[in-house]
Amino acid sequence: MFVPCDRGGGSASSDFKGFTLLVPAVSVGNVGQLATDLVISTLNMTKVGYFYTDCLVPMVGNNPYATAEENSMELSINAEVYSLPSKKLVVLQIRSPFIKNKYRPFCQTLLSWVKSSKCARVVLLSSSHAYQRDDEQLLGTPLRYLLTPDLEKAVGGLMQELNWKEMEKVAAYPGINDTEKVLHIPGGGITKLLFTESCSKGIQMAVLLKFCSEGDNIPDAFALVNYLNEWLQLVKSEVNTSSQWKIPSSWRLLFGNGLPPALF
Amino acid sequence: MATFFGEVVVASSRAGVDDEESAEEAREETPEDREIRRELEKKREIDVLWTLKSGASTESSADEPFVCSKFIVAIGHNAAAFLSSFILDSVCWEVVGVAKLWNEWCRTSNTTNVLPTDSFCLFYQLISDPTVLLCQCSCYVAEDQQFQWLEKVFGCMRKEDLQVTILSTCPVADYKTQESTLTLPSPFLKALKTKEFKEEVCCPLLEQPNIVRDLPAA
């Protein structure tokens, strides 16, 4: 599934042993994907390969992180891998939705790639429908985390120090039996599947998610990426937390073209 | 989400995985479900049939990959019509293959003598240079069939020294630009190219944030 790029680095550029893999879930508001765009764009990460998969809707365009004429002509497709060896970070960006009935095979292939490339841990950026929160969740921070048991042992204490809130479980049969609790992430796409599979496969995975609704999700993306930064410290924290992230050029015109002057 | 009329509807989400769909998959698949799914998959399979020089028809999988230097693919009615009007003729080109498929939007016609309004996917070979192939694909290839089309068509040809040109059209209204598309002189050409393509491109490259999707993207 993973096809390395033909760069001078050769196989060295696709050695991810001990790296942290950052992946977005295609979820409500595309917040995970937007946050991932911010990480790739700000850290100026190098593309090291892509996923050749029949599970995602095809799309292609020119370099979404272009900053100048010279770097704007590289083709970009729906699932690409970027790396920053200095921070032991590898990022998979997903740019299109899953084809019907294909999300399960994709999850299987992704997790087996995680194992074969020997990534140390996976951080999944996601979101969940804000309107499905219960009364308690309506108050306080809209950001939540989840850790697989293997990662809990390693960083559980750090989450306590950061004063982060763990994603609450909900009753499996609300109103009938409140004792049996299950994980429910509405609008989270493949988040729950990836998390439960990682738990059973012994993969160290953290899920970072934000409650949000569809709309202008740029502020949600900033909130999620700053949340991620509290833990991974990818960029130096500034007082103005939105200025430390670089918005990619592909975010232009998210809400349509210019208006025809004849309208006025 | 509440609408103007006060009823509550489930807002469609960009998440891409409906909760209903995932709940459905979570159920155990019965043998009947499996049978239905297999039948549906068979119905949505693409058949690519090539006519060899000797005139015999054969399944694409039995063939040796054939040598191809240039492969021009026209996707959609407009691009297919362009080729019909300006390039194709019965003197220089002959039909050497057909792709048959079905989906909710179209079924390809069985004949190779097609009308411009039909849905079809035909492959032509230049008689004077048999390494030059052309494809007119005016039928809509659904997203779950695009990968299959790709593998079955390109699986038959040698990819070394192959130059592929894809012709397609998109509505001007989909073009993202700072000005309004109302005042934009249209039609206009834009291109995307791989870094291996070293020749001059005859028009400007597609600017960010525009993208190409469906079969041309695949």
Side-chain angles (χ1 to χ4, degrees):
Chain A
M1 167 137 116
F2 172 68
V3 178
C5 263
D6 209 16
R7 278 176 207 269
S11 61
S13 61
S14 48
D15 176 17
F16 305 126
K17 188 165 176 195
F19 278 38
T20 297
L21 170 66
L22 192 63
V23 190
V26 181
S27 56
V28 56
N30 305 103
V31 179
Q33 295 160 285
L34 291 171
T36 306
D37 259 354
L38 285 172
V39 172
I40 298 170
S41 172
T42 308
L43 298 178
N44 206 13
M45 295 180 79
T46 316
K47 181 158 39 173
V48 294
Y50 61 90
F51 274 24
Y52 184 63
T53 172
D54 62 342
C55 301
L56 295 165
V57 173
M59 56 77 47
V60 64
N62 274 323
N63 183 8
Y65 311 111
T67 48
E69 184 81 34
E70 299 79 51
N71 60 23
S72 67
M73 294 180 316
E74 196 181 332
L75 286 187
S76 223
I77 60 166
N78 55 10
E80 295 188 314
V81 180
Y82 299 78
S83 132
L84 188 64
S86 59
K87 289 205 188 284
K88 294 200 106 176
L89 183 67
V90 57
V91 178
L92 166 67
Q93 176 61 301
I94 299 176
R95 300 197 173 96
S96 61
F98 288 104
I99 290 176
K100 198 168 162 62
N101 299 324
K102 289 288 197 178
Y103 70 93
R104 269 178 197 277
F106 183 82
C107 289
Q108 308 289 14
T109 326
L110 176 63
L111 291 180
S112 66
W113 179 68
V114 167
K115 287 215 139 175
S116 65
S117 59
K118 299 192 176 50
C119 291
R121 58 194 180 179
V122 183
V123 179
L124 183 65
L125 298 179
S126 181
S127 52
S128 185
H129 285 307
Y131 69 81
Q132 293 245 20
R133 289 175 292 176
D134 62 28
D135 293 347
E136 280 186 35
Q137 290 170 320
L138 283 171
L139 307 165
T141 174
L143 295 156
R144 295 287 187 278
Y145 78 93
L146 279 169
L147 298 173
T148 56
D150 294 85
L151 193 54
E152 174 83 49
K153 293 187 201 112
V155 302
L158 179 58
M159 302 312 175
Q160 306 280 28
E161 276 173 51
L162 290 170
N163 212 11
W164 278 12
K165 245 185 141 166
E166 193 172 2
M167 181 70 172
E168 302 90 338
K169 289 200 167 151
V170 297
Y173 308 102
I176 299 171
N177 173 7
D178 280 345
T179 49
E180 201 182 321
K181 300 271 189 192
V182 289
L183 191 60
H184 186 48
I185 310 178
I190 56 172
T191 304
K192 183 175 161 183
L193 178 63
L194 273 179
F195 183 71
T196 47
E197 289 288 298
S198 296
C199 287
S200 59
K201 289 181 159 73
I203 293 175
Q204 295 196 9
M205 176 182 280
V207 175
L208 268 56
L209 68 83
K210 183 176 193 295
F211 290 117
C212 68
S213 305
E214 298 283 351
D216 179 359
N217 300 106
I218 292 175
D220 300 309
F222 275 106
L224 189 61
V225 80
N226 284 322
Y227 190 53
L228 173 72
N229 201 43
E230 280 176 34
W231 172 24
L232 293 187
Q233 297 287 303
L234 297 171
V235 298
K236 222 161 58 106
S237 300
E238 305 274 332
V239 173
N240 180 2
T241 48
S242 48
S243 66
Q244 65 217 37
W245 304 102
K246 187 164 93 176
I247 292 184
S249 53
S250 54
W251 281 22
R252 283 178 58 234
L253 305 171
L254 272 176
F255 297 103
N257 295 342
L259 298 168
L263 201 62
F264 307 106
Chain B
M1 179 180 100
T3 68
F4 280 121
F5 303 104
E7 86 255 79
V8 175
V9 294
V10 176
S12 69
S13 164
R14 289 176 241 150
V17 174
D18 295 320
D19 285 327
E20 278 170 39
E21 187 185 318
S22 48
E24 239 174 73
E25 292 230 9
R27 263 190 8 240
E28 278 296 320
E29 211 183 27
T30 67
E32 285 152 340
D33 291 334
R34 260 194 293 277
E35 187 59 36
I36 292 172
R37 192 165 51 80
R38 255 199 300 266
E39 286 299 310
L40 275 172
E41 275 171 13
K42 245 182 12 199
K43 220 175 162 195
R44 298 180 78 86
E45 250 179 47
I46 299 179
D47 289 314
V48 182
L49 298 162
W50 299 98
T51 316
L52 294 177
K53 282 225 170 285
S54 61
S57 283
T58 172
E59 282 292 321
S60 52
S61 50
D63 280 357
E64 276 271 322
F66 49 77
V67 178
C68 186
S69 63
K70 284 185 160 52
F71 185 33
I72 301 161
V73 189
I75 301 173
H77 282 286
N78 292 327
F82 167 77
L83 287 189
S84 294
S85 315
F86 295 102
I87 311 285
L88 286 171
D89 61 55
S90 50
V91 175
C92 304
W93 297 87
E94 60 173 350
V95 178
V96 291
V98 62
K100 296 200 186 153
L101 60 94
W102 171 90
N103 55 53
E104 295 80 359
W105 292 271
C106 76
R107 176 195 297 281
T108 48
S109 31
N110 269 328
T111 165
T112 52
N113 205 6
V114 288
L115 296 171
T117 46
D118 288 340
S119 283
F120 55 89
C121 183
L122 293 169
F123 298 88
Y124 300 83
Q125 191 177 48
L126 186 60
I127 295 172
S128 57
D129 181 356
T131 65
V132 177
L133 282 188
L134 199 147
C135 170
Q136 269 185 321
C137 185
S138 71
C139 61
Y140 176 66
V141 181
E143 62 185 32
D144 60 308
Q145 296 172 312
Q146 288 158 10
F147 195 82
Q148 209 196 127
W149 189 99
L150 199 63
E151 297 269 283
K152 289 197 171 169
V153 170
F154 282 86
C156 301
M157 40 184 94
R158 288 237 331 248
K159 294 180 217 14
E160 292 83 31
D161 298 318
L162 171 62
Q163 187 188 83
V164 182
T165 307
I166 303 164
L167 305 172
S168 157
T169 53
C170 293
V172 174
D174 285 350
Y175 182 65
K176 295 208 183 354
T177 172
Q178 198 63 42
E179 311 94 45
S180 152
T181 50
L182 214 62
T183 49
L184 213 57
S186 72
F188 55 89
L189 282 178
K190 292 287 176 189
L192 283 175
K193 65 175 192 69
T194 61
K195 56 181 186 285
E196 287 80 8
F197 186 82
K198 302 291 183 212
E199 290 173 30
E200 273 280 321
V201 184
C202 58
C203 62
L205 293 182
L206 187 64
E207 309 86 352
Q208 292 81 350
N210 292 286
I211 59 166
V212 173
R213 43 187 121 216
D214 291 329
L215 192 61

